[in-house]
Amino acid sequence: MSFIQEVVEPKDMLVKLIREGNRINFEECSENLADHFFNFSVTAHSIRDWCIKFQDLQPQKKQLHQQWDKEPFLVTAKDIANSVKHFGISFYTPQLKNSEIQASSTVEFCVGEDISEKLQKAVGDTDFRESESKEKPSYLVSFEDGTQITLNDYVIKTVNYWLTYFEEHSIPKDPAINATHIYVNRPFWNKFT
């Protein structure tokens, strides 16, 4: 049971995860970005427990965590959340090696723009992409096995995973939420901010 009235069902945590992803995407201050990265990770990791309790799957909890630990972005959430919450990880061996702040160039999408057209231009036209790009802080997450994931990929893949999980397991969610709202639909973000 949650003691925050606005966060009482898994769908509330999913919306919170999307809001945190939005904060990451639009943040320009590195200190605030670190806060949002941590908050996103704690929320992403916490959704595991919300789904287990909502679906009454406590007997399968260990197997579910083993399954989720095969997804690199869910491992990122787990290791970031636990390392910061507990000032390190001592109960298991983390798969993450580190995360480093870096600069990232992004093309922003605004209300009223033709998102599909601008996205096509940004992907296919180097001159357009460079003229529209804005530099902002980001992170690169490295795993012990040498693989890496960017903060933006981490956020998108994590949100998409949970969206798919909710759909596949018939966990109720706001019908307005779908993958197309990640990073491209500011009115949607504002609705939940």
Side-chain angles (χ1 to χ4, degrees):
M1 179 177 121
S2 169
F3 292 113
I4 299 176
Q5 291 179 356
E6 289 78 15
V7 185
V8 296
E9 296 179 53
K11 69 180 182 177
D12 302 326
M13 289 295 283
L14 182 62
V15 171
K16 181 183 181 309
L17 182 72
I18 292 172
R19 284 194 309 263
E20 293 296 343
N22 180 51
R23 291 179 183 115
I24 286 171
N25 186 51
F26 296 102
E27 186 56 63
E28 296 180 8
C29 170
S30 59
E31 290 85 8
N32 291 340
L33 181 64
D35 292 346
H36 302 323
F37 184 15
F38 171 59
N39 293 338
F40 179 89
S41 298
V42 170
T43 302
H45 187 56
S46 297
I47 289 175
R48 292 180 182 206
D49 289 332
W50 282 77
C51 290
I52 289 169
K53 287 181 181 178
F54 182 81
Q55 296 176 281
D56 197 24
L57 295 175
Q58 282 82 355
Q60 292 94 0
K61 184 175 182 173
K62 183 177 180 179
Q63 293 83 3
L64 285 167
H65 282 293
Q66 289 172 341
Q67 175 187 335
W68 288 324
D69 285 345
K70 293 177 184 173
E71 303 291 342
F73 38 92
L74 295 184
V75 169
T76 301
K78 173 184 166 182
D79 286 354
I80 293 291
N82 286 329
S83 70
V84 178
K85 284 188 332 185
H86 304 296
F87 192 49
I89 298 172
S90 55
F91 291 111
Y92 66 93
T93 303
Q95 293 181 37
L96 288 189
K97 182 177 181 179
N98 64 20
S99 65
E100 298 176 42
I101 191 124
Q102 65 175 21
S104 173
S105 293
T106 61
V107 174
E108 290 188 358
F109 299 92
C110 300
V111 174
E113 290 183 320
D114 183 336
I115 304 291
S116 299
E117 180 182 331
K118 189 170 183 181
L119 185 58
Q120 279 184 320
K121 279 184 171 179
V123 170
D125 184 341
T126 304
D127 291 335
F128 175 80
R129 183 171 56 249
E130 288 176 2
S131 70
E132 292 288 316
S133 289
K134 181 178 182 179
E135 195 168 280
K136 66 178 202 72
S138 188
Y139 279 87
L140 182 65
V141 177
S142 300
F143 291 87
E144 288 292 344
D145 67 4
T147 59
Q148 298 178 317
I149 187 169
T150 65
L151 182 57
N152 284 342
D153 282 346
Y154 163 58
V155 169
I156 290 170
K157 289 178 180 178
T158 302
V159 170
N160 280 334
Y161 178 87
W162 285 121
L163 285 169
T164 301
Y165 187 90
F166 274 55
E167 289 169 12
E168 289 176 353
H169 295 88
S170 301
I171 299 173
K173 65 178 183 60
D174 185 315
I177 298 174
N178 63 54
T180 62
H181 291 107
I182 302 169
Y183 294 150
V184 296
N185 195 337
R186 289 300 290 270
F188 173 79
W189 295 120
N190 292 337
K191 175 182 173 186
F192 293 104
T193 308

